[in-house]
C-alpha cells in the first residue's frame, strides 16, 4: 500500500481544481445543442488530435498496456505499430471526408444518411449500451485499483470520479471534455516519463533491459528475445507468449479490430467531427498518429521493466492466488517503487487523469448518440433545440448514474460483465466491413448493410462457440455450442480469428444481399457519402506539412522504421 | 478559440513545476533513495516549469497578436 504525503495531495487537488475550472469557464459558450454535443464545430486540429488520443487513453489502456508489456513484452507494440497508426492514417485520409462532409452529427447518423433507419437504430442502440457499460467497467477497475494501492474506499472513489466527470461535462459539454482531455494528455506524458527514465536507467538502458528480459523469456520456455523483439518470434504461435502467428495478428488485430475501432467508434470520431473545418477534421487523426506511435515507450515499457525486476530480484509483483504475477499491478507498483513523494503524486494524478478522460469520452459519446439518434429520432422528434440541449444535460447525468450502477453490477456479477464484453466484441467485429462497403461501393443497400452486420455478428458468435483457447473449459471462453472444432493456442488468437470470421462473413453477406436487393438511394442522395460520388478534396493549395496524404505517408514511414528497429 | 487552452495548461504545469522545485530544494534527501539517489522532484520540477512557462508565453503572444489585429 502506498502512503501519500501532503505534496501528493496538493498535486491531486490542484488537478481537480483545474479540471473543474475549465468546465466553469466554458459553460457560457454552451448555447445550442450543437455547442454541447459537437463543440459548435470550432476545435482547432491540434486540440482535436490530442483529444483523439486521450479519449481512448482510459485507465484500461494505461494499466492494460502495462500489464500486457509485462505479460507479452515488446509484441504488445503491435497494438500501436500494426493496429492503431495505420488505422488512424486511413480514417484521416479516406473516411473523414464523408464523416465531416456529410454534416452527420454522429456515426449512427452517418449510417442513417448512407443506408437506412434500421441500420442506424441497430448501431445506435448497441453503441449506447456498450459505452455505458465500458465506462462502468473502467469505473469499477479504477476504484478497485485505488482500494488496493492507496487503501481508498471503493464507494468514495466511484462517487468522486463520477461527480467530477459529471460536473465538467455538464457545464461545458464536449468542449469541456475535449479541453480536459488535452490537459490530461500532457499530464499523462509528463507524469509517466520520469518513471520510464528512472526504470530504464536502473535496468542499465535498453541493452540492460534486453539482457534481463532474456532471462524472463528463457525461464518461461521461449527464445531469449521473445520479450524484447516484436516480430522475430511470430512465425508460429508456440514461439511467443501471445500465442499468435503473424497472419492472425496482422489480419485480426491490424486489419479488422484496429480499423474497426479507430474508423467506426464514435467515441474517437466525435473528436474529429468537432474540428473547425474539413481540413482540421482530416488532420485530427493524422496529427494524433505522431504522439500515438511513441506511446508504447510510455505505457508498455513500464510493464516490461516491471517483469524484468520481478524475475531478476524475485517477488517484485504481488502474486495472484494461482501463483502467477498480478500483471495489472505492474504500473502502480512501478510508480511506488521509483517515485518519491512529490512525483509520486504526479504519477498517480496522471493515472486518475487517464481514467477520467476515458470515462468522459464514453459519456460524451453516449449523451450525443442517445439524444440525437435515439431520443430525437424515435422518442420525441421535432422539438426545439433548447429541448434537446436540456436532454443532453439530463443524458449526461443518467449516463454517469448508469455507469456507476454498471460498476456495482460488476462487483456482484463478474460473469455477466464478461459475457457483455464478449457480446460487444461480436457486434463490433464486422462493423468495419459495413463502413468500407458503404463508403466505397455505391451499390451497397440498406438491407445489405443491416443483414450483413447481423450475419457478421452471428459468425463471430458461432466461431467463438465452436472453438476454445488452449487449456480452457467450455463456457464463456468458447465452446458453448456443444462441440469444440478447433483449439487455439491462446485466447488472443481466438479473438483475432473470431474478428476475421466476422469481418469476412459481413463483407460477403453485405455484397450478396446488396446485389439481391433494390437500391433506395439515388446517386444524388449519396453525394458526399460515397467515395465515387464525392468531389475530391483539393489539397494542392495547402503547404506540404498540412496535406493529409503527406502527413499520413510520414506517419506510416516512421511507424515502419519503429517496427524495423524493434524487429 | 473560446478559451486559449495553452493558458490553463501553462498555468497548471507552471504551478506544478514551482511546487516540485521548492519541495525538491527543501525535502529530506533520504526520500530519493528509491529514485536512484537523484533529486527527481527538483529536476523534473524544472522541466515542468519550463514547459508551463513556454505554454504561457505562447498564449500571451497569441493574445497580443489578436488584440493588435482585432
Amino acid at each position: 500500500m502506498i502512503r501519500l504525503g501532503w505534496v501528493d495531495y496538493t498535486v491531486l487537488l490542484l488537478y481537480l481544481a483545474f479540471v473543474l475550472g475549465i468546465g466553469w469557464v466554458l459553460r457560457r459558450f454552451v448555447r445550442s445543442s450543437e455547442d454541447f454535443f459537437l463543440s459548435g464545430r470550432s476545435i482547432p486540429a491540434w486540440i482535436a488530435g490530442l483529444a483523439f488520443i486521450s479519449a481512448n487513453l482510459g485507465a484500461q489502456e494505461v494499466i492494460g498496456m502495462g500489464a500486457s508489456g509485462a505479460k507479452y513484452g515488446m509484441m504488445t507494440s503491435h497494438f500501436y505499430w500494426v493496429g492503431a497508426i495505420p488505422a488512424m492514417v486511413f480514417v484521416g485520409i479516406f473516411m473523414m471526408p464523408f464523416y465531416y462532409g456529410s454534416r452527420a452529427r454522429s456515426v449512427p447518423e452517418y449510417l442513417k444518411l448512407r443506408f437506412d433507419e434500421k441500420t442506424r437504430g441497430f448501431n445506435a442502440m448497441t453503441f449506447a449500451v456498450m459505452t455505458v457499460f465500458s465506462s462502468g467497467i473502467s469505473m469499477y477497475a479504477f476504484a478497485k485499483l485505488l482500494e488496493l494501492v492507496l487503501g481508498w474506499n471503493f464507494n468514495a472513489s466511484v462517487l468522486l470520479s463520477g461527480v467530477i466527470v459529471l460536473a465538467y461535462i455538464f457545464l461545458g459539454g464536449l468542449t469541456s471534455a475535449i479541453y480536459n482531455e488535452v490537459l490530461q494528455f500532457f499530464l499523462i506524458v509528463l507524469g509517466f516519463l520520469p518513471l520510464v527514465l528512472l526504470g530504464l536507467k536502473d535496468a542499465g538502458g535498453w541493452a540492460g533491459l534486453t539482457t534481463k528480459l532474456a532471462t524472463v523469456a528463457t525461464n518461461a520456455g521461449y527464445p531469449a528475445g521473445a520479450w524484447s523483439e516484436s516480430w522475430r518470434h511470430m512465425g508460429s504461435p508456440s514461439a511467443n507468449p501471445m500465442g499468435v502467428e503473424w497472419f492472425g495478428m496482422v489480419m485480426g488485430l491490424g486489419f479488422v479490430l484496429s480499423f474497426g475501432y479507430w474508423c467506426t467508434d464514435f467515441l474517437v470520431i466525435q473528436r474529429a467531427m468537432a474540428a473547425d473545418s474539413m481540413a482540421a477534421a482530416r488532420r485530427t487523426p493524422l496529427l494524433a498518429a505522431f504522439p500515438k506511435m511513441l506511446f508504447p515507450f510510455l505505457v508498455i515499457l513500464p510493464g516490461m521493466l516491471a517483469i524484468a525486476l520481478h524475475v531478476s530480484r524475485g517477488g517484485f509483483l504481488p502474486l495472484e492466488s494461482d501463483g502467477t504475477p498480478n500483471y495489472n499491478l505492474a504500473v502502480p507498483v512501478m510508480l511506488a517503487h521509483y517515485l518519491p513523494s512529490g512525483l509520486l503524486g504526479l504519477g498517480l494524478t496522471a493515472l486518475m487523469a487517464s481514467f477520467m478522460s476515458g470515462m468522459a469520452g464514453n459519456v460524451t459519446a453516449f449523451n450525443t448518440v442517445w439524444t440525437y439518434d435515439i431520443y430525437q429520432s424515435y422518442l420525441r422528434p421535432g422539438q426545439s433545440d433548447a429541448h434537446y440541449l436540456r436532454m443532453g444535460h439530463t443524458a449526461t447525468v443518467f449516463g454517469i448514474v448508469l455507469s456507476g450502477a454498471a460498476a456495482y453490477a460488476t462487483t456482484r456479477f463478474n460473469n455477466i460483465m464478461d459475457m457483455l464484453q464478449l457480446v460487444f466484441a461480436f457486434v463490433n467485429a464486422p462493423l468495419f466491413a459495413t463502413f468500407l462497403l458503404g463508403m466505397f461501393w455505391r451499390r451497397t443497400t440498406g438491407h445489405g448493410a443491416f443483414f450483413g452486420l447481423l450475419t457478421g455478428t452471428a459468425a463471430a458468435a458461432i466461431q467463438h462457440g465452436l472453438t476454445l483457447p488452449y487449456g480452457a473449459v467450455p463456457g464463456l471462453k468458447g465452446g458453448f455450442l456443444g462441440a469444440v472444432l478447433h483449439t487455439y493456442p491462446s485466447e488472443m488468437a481466438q479473438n483475432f480469428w473470431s474478428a476475421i470470421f466476422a469481418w469476412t462473413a459481413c463483407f460477403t453477406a453485405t455484397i450478396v444481399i446488396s446485389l439481391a436487393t433494390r437500391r433506395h438511394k439515388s446517386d444524388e442522395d449519396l453525394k458526399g457519402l460515397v467515395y465515387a460520388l464525392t468531389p475530391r478534396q483539393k489539397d494542392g493549395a495547402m503547404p506540404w506539412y498540412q496535406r493529409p496524404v503527406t502527413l499520413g505517408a510520414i506517419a506510416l514511414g516512421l511507424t515502419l522504421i519503429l517496427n524495423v528497429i524493434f524487429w | 478559440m473560446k478559451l486559449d487552452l495553452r493558458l490553463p495548461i501553462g498555468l497548471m504545469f507552471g504551478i506544478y513545476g514551482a511546487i516540485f522545485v521548492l519541495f525538491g530544494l527543501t525535502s529530506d534527501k533520504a526520500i530519493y533513495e528509491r529514485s536512484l539517489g537523484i533529486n527527481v522532484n527538483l529536476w523534473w520540477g524544472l522541466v515542468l516549469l519550463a514547459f508551463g512557462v513556454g505554454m504561457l508565453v505562447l498564449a500571451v503572444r497569441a493574445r497580443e497578436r489578436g488584440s493588435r489585429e482585432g
Side-chain angles (χ1 to χ4, degrees), chain A residues 34 37-45 48-49 52 90-111 113-114 174 178 262-264 266 268-285 435 439 526-530 534-535 537 542 548, chain B residues 2:
Chain A
E34 184 113 328
F37 295 119
L38 284 169
S39 301
R41 301 199 197 254
S42 65
I43 303 291
F52 193 87
F90 184 83
V91 71
I93 294 179
F94 293 106
M95 293 176 76
M96 212 41 86
F98 312 117
Y99 279 139
Y100 197 89
S102 67
R103 306 307 278 179
R105 298 169 301 179
S106 67
V107 168
E109 193 164 77
Y110 171 83
L111 287 176
L113 296 172
R114 173 62 186 87
L174 182 67
I178 286 182
W262 293 99
C263 301
T264 71
F266 182 53
V268 286
I269 300 297
Q270 188 178 22
R271 272 73 201 149
M273 281 183 172
D276 59 12
S277 65
M278 168 70 93
R282 298 183 70 199
R283 271 204 300 281
T284 294
F435 279 86
M439 285 181 175
L526 294 180
K527 217 169 153 195
L529 300 167
V530 175
T534 306
Q537 296 295 314
M542 293 180 195
Chain B
K2 296 157 177 169

Side-chain angles (χ1 to χ4, degrees), chain A residues 121-173:
Chain A
F122 180 65
N123 185 249
M125 303 285 185
T126 51
F127 183 81
V129 177
M130 227 150 42
T131 39
V132 164
F133 276 102
S134 45
S135 116
I137 290 167
S138 76
M139 211 172 192
Y140 162 81
F142 191 72
K144 209 74 200 155
L145 186 76
L146 290 186
E147 193 177 35
L148 206 63
V149 179
L150 296 176
W152 287 14
N153 180 283
F154 183 88
N155 301 326
S157 303
V158 169
L159 196 67
L160 176 81
S161 55
V163 168
I164 301 272
V165 173
L166 172 64
Y168 75 75
I169 297 178
F170 194 89
L171 287 168

Side-chain angles (χ1 to χ4, degrees), chain A residues 141-398:
Chain A
F142 191 72
K144 209 74 200 155
L145 186 76
L146 290 186
E147 193 177 35
L148 206 63
V149 179
L150 296 176
W152 287 14
N153 180 283
F154 183 88
N155 301 326
S157 303
V158 169
L159 196 67
L160 176 81
S161 55
V163 168
I164 301 272
V165 173
L166 172 64
Y168 75 75
I169 297 178
F170 194 89
L171 287 168
L174 182 67
T175 316
S176 184
I178 286 182
Y179 275 30
N180 278 316
E181 277 156 11
V182 175
L183 191 75
Q184 286 145 358
F185 170 84
F186 286 113
L187 194 58
I188 291 161
V189 172
L190 293 167
F192 273 66
L193 206 52
L195 174 72
V196 174
L197 297 175
L198 282 171
L200 262 186
K201 185 171 159 51
D202 195 27
W206 178 254
L209 178 62
T210 313
T211 322
K212 292 192 172 71
L213 287 174
T215 321
V216 176
T218 42
N219 280 359
Y222 293 107
W227 254 263
S228 54
E229 293 160 344
S230 60
W231 284 96
R232 210 164 277 157
H233 309 283
M234 298 212 61
S236 93
S238 57
N240 64 69
M242 243 182 216
V244 290
E245 89 295 17
W246 68 271
F247 183 80
M249 195 280 295
V250 171
M251 293 309 289
L253 169 68
F255 183 63
V256 180
L257 291 174
S258 295
F259 276 72
Y261 177 76
W262 293 99
C263 301
T264 71
D265 197 299
F266 182 53
L267 170 71
V268 286
I269 300 297
Q270 188 178 22
R271 272 73 201 149
M273 281 183 172
D276 59 12
S277 65
M278 168 70 93
R282 298 183 70 199
R283 271 204 300 281
T284 294
L286 298 169
L287 292 179
F290 290 92
K292 185 80 181 171
M293 70 176 74
L294 298 176
F295 263 70
F297 302 112
L298 210 60
V299 296
I300 299 175
L301 251 187
M304 293 165 64
L305 291 161
I307 197 69
L309 276 181
H310 182 70
V311 170
S312 65
R313 296 192 193 160
F316 181 69
L317 292 173
L319 298 181
E320 300 261 30
S321 49
D322 63 355
T324 54
N326 186 340
Y327 296 108
N328 282 327
L329 288 178
V331 171
V333 168
M334 285 290 281
L335 285 172
H337 183 73
Y338 283 112
L339 298 182
S341 203
L343 280 195
L344 179 60
L346 190 70
L348 286 172
T349 305
L351 210 55
M352 291 186 202
S354 77
F355 162 72
M356 287 188 193
S357 59
M359 183 170 167
N362 278 310
V363 172
T364 46
F366 168 80
N367 66 18
T368 309
V369 166
W370 166 264
T371 306
Y372 282 154
D373 292 299
I374 298 175
Y375 186 76
Q376 186 179 28
S377 306
Y378 306 119
L379 301 176
R380 295 284 297 276
Q383 301 289 316
S384 70
D385 189 65
H387 180 88
Y388 295 120
L389 176 58
R390 268 200 308 282
M391 189 63 225
H393 282 120
T394 317
T396 308
V397 178
F398 75 79

Side-chain angles (χ1 to χ4, degrees), chain A residues 11 190 336 339 341-343, chain B residues 2-3 16 20 23 34 41 44:
Chain A
V11 169
L190 293 167
L339 298 182
S341 203
L343 280 195
Chain B
K2 296 157 177 169
L3 157 75
Y16 276 162
F20 286 137
F23 185 68
R34 58 169 78 169
N41 282 331
W44 202 251

